[in-house]
Amino acid sequence: AQKVTQAQTEISVVEKEDVTLDCVYETRDTTYYLFWYKQPPSGELVFLIRRNSFDEQNEISGRYSWNFQKSTSSFNFTITASQVVDSAVYFCALSEWNGGSQGNLIFGKGTKLSVKP
Amino acid sequence: NAGVTQTPKFRILKIGQSMTLQCTQDMNHNYMYWYRQDPGMGLKLIYYSVGAGITDKGEVPNGYNVSRSTTEDFPLRLELAAPSQTSVYFCASSYAVTGNNEQFFGPGTRLTVL
């Protein structure tokens, strides 16, 4: 069965520190997609990135970077030089491509990041 | 584009009462979803729809019903509210049929059942 594990429940850092949020997934499919969403204190869910199982290239977007490693079933998210505005709950999610799931997202429990000034 | 809108934002229900959570999207997305988020947990899928007139159960459908009469609207009905349904409810929509679909989320409805 598909599963997403975010082992870090809460992380607290001081501004300008780098921080990595871990995500480990389980799936039997060879075609799947991984996502990261951000949920700031206001409560809405903000899409950050989507990665398919055939593309293991790392991605960088400003201070954000993602490291996808199929060998360890991990899709980790790093924030460089963290800022107070990065304080949020971050969710990793998995979507499989098969006739039954219709692209449903399986979410991890989330990691709450607190960035102190 | 307003995206995905949900009403109400907050609601308190008494045990046994009924209510409908409204969800509307203006992006002409075929796929729509209802999730619930309990404290300290990720989102869990309640129901989803792949188009008008077609709905199916997700992981936690008990106590809920849905309908999809138009592409835009996907209401979620609670018939006999129970304290276990206290949660934040998110509606989402997406365009693509495969797993390669970004889901757009509404702002959520915070429901308390007392």
Side-chain angles (χ1 to χ4, degrees), chain A residues 12-54:
Chain A
S12 183
V13 298
V14 176
E15 212 170 17
K16 298 185 183 175
E17 282 186 30
D18 298 346
V19 59
T20 295
L21 309 182
D22 298 332
C23 173
V24 174
Y25 62 92
E26 295 176 29
T27 177
R28 285 175 288 192
D29 278 7
T30 55
T31 302
Y32 52 89
Y33 301 84
L34 295 162
F35 301 77
W36 277 94
Y37 280 86
K38 174 182 180 180
Q39 186 176 43
S42 52
E44 75 274 19
L45 282 141
V46 178
F47 167 78
L48 294 178
I49 190 172
R50 173 182 63 241
R51 179 54 51 118
N52 75 56
S53 53
F54 298 109

mmCIF file of all heavy atoms in Angstrom, chain A residues 12-54:
data_model
loop_
_atom_site.group_PDB
_atom_site.id
_atom_site.type_symbol
_atom_site.label_atom_id
_atom_site.label_comp_id
_atom_site.label_asym_id
_atom_site.label_seq_id
_atom_site.Cartn_x
_atom_site.Cartn_y
_atom_site.Cartn_z
ATOM 1 N N SER A 12 12.527 23.397 14.875
ATOM 2 C CA SER A 12 12.677 24.810 15.199
ATOM 3 C C SER A 12 14.093 25.243 14.836
ATOM 4 O O SER A 12 15.059 24.578 15.222
ATOM 5 C CB SER A 12 12.409 25.052 16.684
ATOM 6 O OG SER A 12 12.487 26.422 16.988
ATOM 7 N N VAL A 13 14.220 26.306 14.077
ATOM 8 C CA VAL A 13 15.531 26.826 13.700
ATOM 9 C C VAL A 13 15.533 28.333 13.926
ATOM 10 O O VAL A 13 14.484 28.964 14.109
ATOM 11 C CB VAL A 13 15.854 26.523 12.219
ATOM 12 C CG1 VAL A 13 15.899 25.012 11.984
ATOM 13 C CG2 VAL A 13 14.898 27.208 11.281
ATOM 14 N N VAL A 14 16.738 28.885 13.875
ATOM 15 C CA VAL A 14 16.896 30.331 13.959
ATOM 16 C C VAL A 14 17.055 30.859 12.537
ATOM 17 O O VAL A 14 17.647 30.200 11.680
ATOM 18 C CB VAL A 14 18.112 30.696 14.834
ATOM 19 C CG1 VAL A 14 18.336 32.204 14.839
ATOM 20 C CG2 VAL A 14 17.923 30.164 16.243
ATOM 21 N N GLU A 15 16.533 32.028 12.316
ATOM 22 C CA GLU A 15 16.596 32.627 10.991
ATOM 23 C C GLU A 15 18.001 32.529 10.408
ATOM 24 O O GLU A 15 18.993 32.671 11.111
ATOM 25 C CB GLU A 15 16.181 34.100 11.081
ATOM 26 C CG GLU A 15 15.491 34.627 9.860
ATOM 27 C CD GLU A 15 14.885 35.996 10.069
ATOM 28 O OE1 GLU A 15 15.253 36.674 11.040
ATOM 29 O OE2 GLU A 15 14.057 36.379 9.238
ATOM 30 N N LYS A 16 18.049 32.272 9.114
ATOM 31 C CA LYS A 16 19.269 32.144 8.305
ATOM 32 C C LYS A 16 19.897 30.758 8.388
ATOM 33 O O LYS A 16 20.849 30.496 7.628
ATOM 34 C CB LYS A 16 20.319 33.217 8.646
ATOM 35 C CG LYS A 16 19.829 34.632 8.372
ATOM 36 C CD LYS A 16 20.916 35.668 8.595
ATOM 37 C CE LYS A 16 20.343 37.075 8.381
ATOM 38 N NZ LYS A 16 21.323 38.120 8.697
ATOM 39 N N GLU A 17 19.389 29.919 9.249
ATOM 40 C CA GLU A 17 19.869 28.541 9.248
ATOM 41 C C GLU A 17 19.278 27.808 8.057
ATOM 42 O O GLU A 17 18.185 28.128 7.576
ATOM 43 C CB GLU A 17 19.437 27.811 10.529
ATOM 44 C CG GLU A 17 20.242 28.139 11.747
ATOM 45 C CD GLU A 17 19.837 27.264 12.933
ATOM 46 O OE1 GLU A 17 19.405 26.117 12.706
ATOM 47 O OE2 GLU A 17 19.932 27.732 14.065
ATOM 48 N N ASP A 18 19.986 26.777 7.594
ATOM 49 C CA ASP A 18 19.445 25.880 6.584
ATOM 50 C C ASP A 18 18.676 24.763 7.300
ATOM 51 O O ASP A 18 19.053 24.351 8.404
ATOM 52 C CB ASP A 18 20.565 25.254 5.738
ATOM 53 C CG ASP A 18 21.359 26.298 4.973
ATOM 54 O OD1 ASP A 18 20.906 27.458 4.876
ATOM 55 O OD2 ASP A 18 22.444 25.943 4.471
ATOM 56 N N VAL A 19 17.634 24.280 6.663
ATOM 57 C CA VAL A 19 16.835 23.216 7.292
ATOM 58 C C VAL A 19 16.364 22.247 6.214
ATOM 59 O O VAL A 19 15.998 22.666 5.113
ATOM 60 C CB VAL A 19 15.649 23.795 8.083
ATOM 61 C CG1 VAL A 19 14.734 24.622 7.197
ATOM 62 C CG2 VAL A 19 14.872 22.706 8.802
ATOM 63 N N THR A 20 16.399 20.968 6.533
ATOM 64 C CA THR A 20 15.942 19.931 5.599
ATOM 65 C C THR A 20 14.771 19.175 6.200
ATOM 66 O O THR A 20 14.844 18.696 7.333
ATOM 67 C CB THR A 20 17.073 18.950 5.246
ATOM 68 O OG1 THR A 20 18.104 19.655 4.541
ATOM 69 C CG2 THR A 20 16.551 17.819 4.352
ATOM 70 N N LEU A 21 13.722 19.072 5.427
ATOM 71 C CA LEU A 21 12.539 18.327 5.833
ATOM 72 C C LEU A 21 12.544 16.996 5.093
ATOM 73 O O LEU A 21 12.653 16.953 3.867
ATOM 74 C CB LEU A 21 11.269 19.119 5.476
ATOM 75 C CG LEU A 21 11.229 20.577 5.939
ATOM 76 C CD1 LEU A 21 9.912 21.223 5.565
ATOM 77 C CD2 LEU A 21 11.475 20.683 7.432
ATOM 78 N N ASP A 22 12.402 15.927 5.853
ATOM 79 C CA ASP A 22 12.511 14.590 5.261
ATOM 80 C C ASP A 22 11.155 14.039 4.840
ATOM 81 O O ASP A 22 10.130 14.291 5.483
ATOM 82 C CB ASP A 22 13.137 13.617 6.270
ATOM 83 C CG ASP A 22 14.547 14.019 6.662
ATOM 84 O OD1 ASP A 22 15.228 14.668 5.843
ATOM 85 O OD2 ASP A 22 14.965 13.685 7.789
ATOM 86 N N CYS A 23 11.174 13.276 3.770
ATOM 87 C CA CYS A 23 9.967 12.604 3.295
ATOM 88 C C CYS A 23 10.372 11.253 2.721
ATOM 89 O O CYS A 23 11.226 11.179 1.833
ATOM 90 C CB CYS A 23 9.268 13.436 2.219
ATOM 91 S SG CYS A 23 7.872 12.599 1.424
ATOM 92 N N VAL A 24 9.771 10.209 3.249
ATOM 93 C CA VAL A 24 10.005 8.860 2.742
ATOM 94 C C VAL A 24 8.672 8.290 2.289
ATOM 95 O O VAL A 24 7.661 8.445 2.972
ATOM 96 C CB VAL A 24 10.626 7.963 3.836
ATOM 97 C CG1 VAL A 24 10.729 6.527 3.353
ATOM 98 C CG2 VAL A 24 12.001 8.494 4.229
ATOM 99 N N TYR A 25 8.656 7.651 1.153
ATOM 100 C CA TYR A 25 7.394 7.153 0.612
ATOM 101 C C TYR A 25 7.476 5.664 0.312
ATOM 102 O O TYR A 25 8.564 5.096 0.171
ATOM 103 C CB TYR A 25 7.003 7.931 -0.656
ATOM 104 C CG TYR A 25 7.997 7.801 -1.774
ATOM 105 C CD1 TYR A 25 7.882 6.808 -2.739
ATOM 106 C CD2 TYR A 25 9.094 8.663 -1.850
ATOM 107 C CE1 TYR A 25 8.812 6.667 -3.745
ATOM 108 C CE2 TYR A 25 10.031 8.544 -2.856
ATOM 109 C CZ TYR A 25 9.888 7.538 -3.793
ATOM 110 O OH TYR A 25 10.813 7.407 -4.798
ATOM 111 N N GLU A 26 6.321 5.052 0.231
ATOM 112 C CA GLU A 26 6.207 3.642 -0.158
ATOM 113 C C GLU A 26 5.172 3.534 -1.268
ATOM 114 O O GLU A 26 4.067 4.055 -1.153
ATOM 115 C CB GLU A 26 5.749 2.782 1.033
ATOM 116 C CG GLU A 26 6.726 2.721 2.184
ATOM 117 C CD GLU A 26 6.146 1.938 3.356
ATOM 118 O OE1 GLU A 26 5.316 1.027 3.121
ATOM 119 O OE2 GLU A 26 6.497 2.258 4.508
ATOM 120 N N THR A 27 5.532 2.827 -2.310
ATOM 121 C CA THR A 27 4.599 2.562 -3.391
ATOM 122 C C THR A 27 5.071 1.357 -4.174
ATOM 123 O O THR A 27 6.277 1.083 -4.233
ATOM 124 C CB THR A 27 4.477 3.777 -4.327
ATOM 125 O OG1 THR A 27 3.599 3.443 -5.406
ATOM 126 C CG2 THR A 27 5.826 4.193 -4.897
ATOM 127 N N ARG A 28 4.118 0.641 -4.760
ATOM 128 C CA ARG A 28 4.492 -0.508 -5.597
ATOM 129 C C ARG A 28 4.494 -0.133 -7.076
ATOM 130 O O ARG A 28 4.922 -0.912 -7.920
ATOM 131 C CB ARG A 28 3.532 -1.660 -5.353
ATOM 132 C CG ARG A 28 3.780 -2.372 -4.029
ATOM 133 C CD ARG A 28 2.741 -3.432 -3.761
ATOM 134 N NE ARG A 28 1.459 -2.834 -3.430
ATOM 135 C CZ ARG A 28 0.436 -3.510 -2.927
ATOM 136 N NH1 ARG A 28 0.527 -4.800 -2.727
ATOM 137 N NH2 ARG A 28 -0.698 -2.903 -2.646
ATOM 138 N N ASP A 29 4.007 1.060 -7.371
ATOM 139 C CA ASP A 29 3.942 1.486 -8.766
ATOM 140 C C ASP A 29 5.288 1.977 -9.247
ATOM 141 O O ASP A 29 6.102 2.490 -8.459
ATOM 142 C CB ASP A 29 2.911 2.604 -8.930
ATOM 143 C CG ASP A 29 1.520 2.043 -9.050
ATOM 144 O OD1 ASP A 29 1.338 0.822 -8.882
ATOM 145 O OD2 ASP A 29 0.600 2.839 -9.321
ATOM 146 N N THR A 30 5.518 1.841 -10.538
ATOM 147 C CA THR A 30 6.743 2.394 -11.112
ATOM 148 C C THR A 30 6.516 3.823 -11.593
ATOM 149 O O THR A 30 7.458 4.574 -11.768
ATOM 150 C CB THR A 30 7.223 1.537 -12.302
ATOM 151 O OG1 THR A 30 6.151 1.432 -13.258
ATOM 152 C CG2 THR A 30 7.631 0.146 -11.834
ATOM 153 N N THR A 31 5.263 4.174 -11.806
ATOM 154 C CA THR A 31 4.920 5.542 -12.203
ATOM 155 C C THR A 31 4.167 6.201 -11.064
ATOM 156 O O THR A 31 3.102 5.733 -10.664
ATOM 157 C CB THR A 31 4.061 5.553 -13.469
ATOM 158 O OG1 THR A 31 4.743 4.898 -14.525
ATOM 159 C CG2 THR A 31 3.759 6.989 -13.873
ATOM 160 N N TYR A 32 4.726 7.255 -10.548
ATOM 161 C CA TYR A 32 4.078 7.966 -9.451
ATOM 162 C C TYR A 32 4.592 9.391 -9.425
ATOM 163 O O TYR A 32 5.537 9.748 -10.141
ATOM 164 C CB TYR A 32 4.324 7.277 -8.101
ATOM 165 C CG TYR A 32 5.774 7.006 -7.793
ATOM 166 C CD1 TYR A 32 6.547 7.954 -7.127
ATOM 167 C CD2 TYR A 32 6.377 5.806 -8.175
ATOM 168 C CE1 TYR A 32 7.884 7.709 -6.852
ATOM 169 C CE2 TYR A 32 7.709 5.556 -7.899
ATOM 170 C CZ TYR A 32 8.463 6.508 -7.241
ATOM 171 O OH TYR A 32 9.787 6.270 -6.969
ATOM 172 N N TYR A 33 3.939 10.207 -8.594
ATOM 173 C CA TYR A 33 4.286 11.617 -8.517
ATOM 174 C C TYR A 33 4.388 12.020 -7.057
ATOM 175 O O TYR A 33 3.643 11.529 -6.211
ATOM 176 C CB TYR A 33 3.209 12.460 -9.224
ATOM 177 C CG TYR A 33 3.047 12.088 -10.668
ATOM 178 C CD1 TYR A 33 2.234 11.017 -11.050
ATOM 179 C CD2 TYR A 33 3.728 12.767 -11.658
ATOM 180 C CE1 TYR A 33 2.101 10.652 -12.379
ATOM 181 C CE2 TYR A 33 3.603 12.418 -12.989
ATOM 182 C CZ TYR A 33 2.791 11.355 -13.344
ATOM 183 O OH TYR A 33 2.669 10.992 -14.657
ATOM 184 N N LEU A 34 5.292 12.895 -6.801
ATOM 185 C CA LEU A 34 5.525 13.384 -5.445
ATOM 186 C C LEU A 34 5.327 14.883 -5.407
ATOM 187 O O LEU A 34 5.682 15.590 -6.357
ATOM 188 C CB LEU A 34 6.942 13.027 -4.992
ATOM 189 C CG LEU A 34 7.208 11.533 -4.862
ATOM 190 C CD1 LEU A 34 8.692 11.247 -4.843
ATOM 191 C CD2 LEU A 34 6.543 10.977 -3.613
ATOM 192 N N PHE A 35 4.771 15.348 -4.315
ATOM 193 C CA PHE A 35 4.441 16.755 -4.163
ATOM 194 C C PHE A 35 4.897 17.258 -2.793
ATOM 195 O O PHE A 35 4.998 16.494 -1.835
ATOM 196 C CB PHE A 35 2.917 16.961 -4.240
ATOM 197 C CG PHE A 35 2.264 16.509 -5.517
ATOM 198 C CD1 PHE A 35 2.034 15.164 -5.757
ATOM 199 C CD2 PHE A 35 1.864 17.427 -6.457
ATOM 200 C CE1 PHE A 35 1.426 14.738 -6.932
ATOM 201 C CE2 PHE A 35 1.242 17.008 -7.637
ATOM 202 C CZ PHE A 35 1.032 15.673 -7.863
ATOM 203 N N TRP A 36 5.132 18.546 -2.742
ATOM 204 C CA TRP A 36 5.258 19.248 -1.462
ATOM 205 C C TRP A 36 4.251 20.392 -1.459
ATOM 206 O O TRP A 36 4.125 21.137 -2.454
ATOM 207 C CB TRP A 36 6.665 19.804 -1.248
ATOM 208 C CG TRP A 36 7.633 18.804 -0.709
ATOM 209 C CD1 TRP A 36 8.501 18.017 -1.409
ATOM 210 C CD2 TRP A 36 7.857 18.496 0.678
ATOM 211 N NE1 TRP A 36 9.238 17.230 -0.559
ATOM 212 C CE2 TRP A 36 8.866 17.513 0.726
ATOM 213 C CE3 TRP A 36 7.308 18.958 1.877
ATOM 214 C CZ2 TRP A 36 9.344 16.974 1.931
ATOM 215 C CZ3 TRP A 36 7.779 18.433 3.057
ATOM 216 C CH2 TRP A 36 8.786 17.454 3.088
ATOM 217 N N TYR A 37 3.543 20.503 -0.315
ATOM 218 C CA TYR A 37 2.623 21.600 -0.101
ATOM 219 C C TYR A 37 3.017 22.311 1.191
ATOM 220 O O TYR A 37 3.490 21.687 2.137
ATOM 221 C CB TYR A 37 1.182 21.101 0.045
ATOM 222 C CG TYR A 37 0.487 20.780 -1.252
ATOM 223 C CD1 TYR A 37 0.626 19.526 -1.839
ATOM 224 C CD2 TYR A 37 -0.335 21.722 -1.883
ATOM 225 C CE1 TYR A 37 -0.029 19.224 -3.039
ATOM 226 C CE2 TYR A 37 -0.982 21.421 -3.066
ATOM 227 C CZ TYR A 37 -0.820 20.173 -3.629
ATOM 228 O OH TYR A 37 -1.471 19.872 -4.809
ATOM 229 N N LYS A 38 2.762 23.604 1.217
ATOM 230 C CA LYS A 38 3.022 24.421 2.409
ATOM 231 C C LYS A 38 1.685 24.873 2.982
ATOM 232 O O LYS A 38 0.792 25.296 2.231
ATOM 233 C CB LYS A 38 3.859 25.646 2.017
ATOM 234 C CG LYS A 38 4.083 26.654 3.128
ATOM 235 C CD LYS A 38 4.881 27.854 2.605
ATOM 236 C CE LYS A 38 5.108 28.878 3.697
ATOM 237 N NZ LYS A 38 5.885 30.055 3.200
ATOM 238 N N GLN A 39 1.543 24.788 4.303
ATOM 239 C CA GLN A 39 0.337 25.276 4.966
ATOM 240 C C GLN A 39 0.754 26.319 5.996
ATOM 241 O O GLN A 39 1.139 25.996 7.122
ATOM 242 C CB GLN A 39 -0.452 24.143 5.633
ATOM 243 C CG GLN A 39 -1.790 24.595 6.198
ATOM 244 C CD GLN A 39 -2.604 23.453 6.763
ATOM 245 O OE1 GLN A 39 -2.074 22.580 7.447
ATOM 246 N NE2 GLN A 39 -3.901 23.452 6.491
ATOM 247 N N PRO A 40 0.703 27.597 5.650
ATOM 248 C CA PRO A 40 1.071 28.649 6.598
ATOM 249 C C PRO A 40 0.027 28.751 7.699
ATOM 250 O O PRO A 40 -1.033 28.122 7.625
ATOM 251 C CB PRO A 40 1.112 29.907 5.727
ATOM 252 C CG PRO A 40 0.259 29.591 4.553
ATOM 253 C CD PRO A 40 0.322 28.117 4.335
ATOM 254 N N PRO A 41 0.309 29.546 8.727
ATOM 255 C CA PRO A 41 -0.634 29.681 9.851
ATOM 256 C C PRO A 41 -2.042 30.102 9.416
ATOM 257 O O PRO A 41 -3.015 29.795 10.106
ATOM 258 C CB PRO A 41 0.021 30.736 10.731
ATOM 259 C CG PRO A 41 1.482 30.587 10.445
ATOM 260 C CD PRO A 41 1.573 30.246 8.987
ATOM 261 N N SER A 42 -2.176 30.749 8.295
ATOM 262 C CA SER A 42 -3.497 31.148 7.811
ATOM 263 C C SER A 42 -4.348 29.954 7.369
ATOM 264 O O SER A 42 -5.561 30.073 7.223
ATOM 265 C CB SER A 42 -3.353 32.141 6.663
ATOM 266 O OG SER A 42 -2.471 31.623 5.678
ATOM 267 N N GLY A 43 -3.716 28.812 7.141
ATOM 268 C CA GLY A 43 -4.474 27.583 6.924
ATOM 269 C C GLY A 43 -4.614 27.073 5.511
ATOM 270 O O GLY A 43 -4.946 25.907 5.321
ATOM 271 N N GLU A 44 -4.379 27.898 4.519
ATOM 272 C CA GLU A 44 -4.557 27.396 3.157
ATOM 273 C C GLU A 44 -3.393 26.503 2.756
ATOM 274 O O GLU A 44 -2.341 26.524 3.374
ATOM 275 C CB GLU A 44 -4.696 28.567 2.162
ATOM 276 C CG GLU A 44 -3.394 29.281 1.841
ATOM 277 C CD GLU A 44 -3.046 30.371 2.831
ATOM 278 O OE1 GLU A 44 -3.589 30.355 3.961
ATOM 279 O OE2 GLU A 44 -2.229 31.234 2.475
ATOM 280 N N LEU A 45 -3.577 25.725 1.733
ATOM 281 C CA LEU A 45 -2.522 24.830 1.240
ATOM 282 C C LEU A 45 -1.947 25.407 -0.043
ATOM 283 O O LEU A 45 -2.675 25.687 -0.987
ATOM 284 C CB LEU A 45 -3.073 23.437 0.979
ATOM 285 C CG LEU A 45 -3.242 22.624 2.240
ATOM 286 C CD1 LEU A 45 -4.493 21.806 2.197
ATOM 287 C CD2 LEU A 45 -2.036 21.710 2.434
ATOM 288 N N VAL A 46 -0.636 25.553 -0.045
ATOM 289 C CA VAL A 46 0.043 26.169 -1.182
ATOM 290 C C VAL A 46 0.935 25.134 -1.844
ATOM 291 O O VAL A 46 1.806 24.540 -1.199
ATOM 292 C CB VAL A 46 0.890 27.376 -0.718
ATOM 293 C CG1 VAL A 46 1.621 27.981 -1.908
ATOM 294 C CG2 VAL A 46 0.019 28.399 -0.018
ATOM 295 N N PHE A 47 0.736 24.924 -3.129
ATOM 296 C CA PHE A 47 1.538 23.980 -3.890
ATOM 297 C C PHE A 47 2.961 24.510 -4.037
ATOM 298 O O PHE A 47 3.169 25.685 -4.369
ATOM 299 C CB PHE A 47 0.895 23.785 -5.270
ATOM 300 C CG PHE A 47 1.742 23.085 -6.280
ATOM 301 C CD1 PHE A 47 1.886 21.717 -6.239
ATOM 302 C CD2 PHE A 47 2.392 23.794 -7.273
ATOM 303 C CE1 PHE A 47 2.660 21.066 -7.191
ATOM 304 C CE2 PHE A 47 3.155 23.154 -8.224
ATOM 305 C CZ PHE A 47 3.295 21.787 -8.184
ATOM 306 N N LEU A 48 3.962 23.646 -3.813
ATOM 307 C CA LEU A 48 5.353 24.048 -3.962
ATOM 308 C C LEU A 48 6.025 23.388 -5.158
ATOM 309 O O LEU A 48 6.692 24.041 -5.957
ATOM 310 C CB LEU A 48 6.145 23.711 -2.693
ATOM 311 C CG LEU A 48 5.758 24.470 -1.432
ATOM 312 C CD1 LEU A 48 6.593 23.991 -0.253
ATOM 313 C CD2 LEU A 48 5.917 25.976 -1.622
ATOM 314 N N ILE A 49 5.884 22.064 -5.259
ATOM 315 C CA ILE A 49 6.579 21.358 -6.331
ATOM 316 C C ILE A 49 5.903 20.022 -6.626
ATOM 317 O O ILE A 49 5.267 19.437 -5.749
ATOM 318 C CB ILE A 49 8.059 21.117 -5.965
ATOM 319 C CG1 ILE A 49 8.832 20.601 -7.196
ATOM 320 C CG2 ILE A 49 8.177 20.142 -4.808
ATOM 321 C CD1 ILE A 49 10.323 20.522 -6.989
ATOM 322 N N ARG A 50 6.069 19.577 -7.856
ATOM 323 C CA ARG A 50 5.625 18.253 -8.298
ATOM 324 C C ARG A 50 6.805 17.590 -9.010
ATOM 325 O O ARG A 50 7.528 18.218 -9.770
ATOM 326 C CB ARG A 50 4.461 18.375 -9.270
ATOM 327 C CG ARG A 50 4.037 17.088 -9.921
ATOM 328 C CD ARG A 50 2.910 17.320 -10.917
ATOM 329 N NE ARG A 50 3.311 18.176 -12.001
ATOM 330 C CZ ARG A 50 2.732 19.349 -12.267
ATOM 331 N NH1 ARG A 50 1.742 19.793 -11.521
ATOM 332 N NH2 ARG A 50 3.149 20.082 -13.285
ATOM 333 N N ARG A 51 6.994 16.287 -8.748
ATOM 334 C CA ARG A 51 8.090 15.555 -9.366
ATOM 335 C C ARG A 51 7.590 14.182 -9.766
ATOM 336 O O ARG A 51 6.954 13.509 -8.972
ATOM 337 C CB ARG A 51 9.259 15.447 -8.373
ATOM 338 C CG ARG A 51 10.472 14.699 -8.858
ATOM 339 C CD ARG A 51 10.945 15.284 -10.148
ATOM 340 N NE ARG A 51 11.114 16.730 -10.059
ATOM 341 C CZ ARG A 51 12.249 17.358 -10.231
ATOM 342 N NH1 ARG A 51 13.327 16.675 -10.523
ATOM 343 N NH2 ARG A 51 12.319 18.662 -10.158
ATOM 344 N N ASN A 52 7.872 13.751 -11.004
ATOM 345 C CA ASN A 52 7.448 12.413 -11.396
ATOM 346 C C ASN A 52 8.568 11.405 -11.166
ATOM 347 O O ASN A 52 9.743 11.772 -11.044
ATOM 348 C CB ASN A 52 6.934 12.399 -12.836
ATOM 349 C CG ASN A 52 8.050 12.495 -13.855
ATOM 350 O OD1 ASN A 52 8.974 11.676 -13.857
ATOM 351 N ND2 ASN A 52 7.977 13.483 -14.725
ATOM 352 N N SER A 53 8.198 10.149 -11.142
ATOM 353 C CA SER A 53 9.127 9.082 -10.742
ATOM 354 C C SER A 53 10.241 8.843 -11.739
ATOM 355 O O SER A 53 11.209 8.141 -11.435
ATOM 356 C CB SER A 53 8.361 7.781 -10.504
ATOM 357 O OG SER A 53 7.563 7.454 -11.625
ATOM 358 N N PHE A 54 10.119 9.394 -12.926
ATOM 359 C CA PHE A 54 11.156 9.180 -13.935
ATOM 360 C C PHE A 54 12.178 10.303 -13.971
ATOM 361 O O PHE A 54 13.140 10.244 -14.732
ATOM 362 C CB PHE A 54 10.514 9.035 -15.323
ATOM 363 C CG PHE A 54 9.598 7.852 -15.407
ATOM 364 C CD1 PHE A 54 8.231 8.019 -15.479
ATOM 365 C CD2 PHE A 54 10.115 6.568 -15.381
ATOM 366 C CE1 PHE A 54 7.382 6.922 -15.530
ATOM 367 C CE2 PHE A 54 9.271 5.470 -15.434
ATOM 368 C CZ PHE A 54 7.911 5.649 -15.512
#
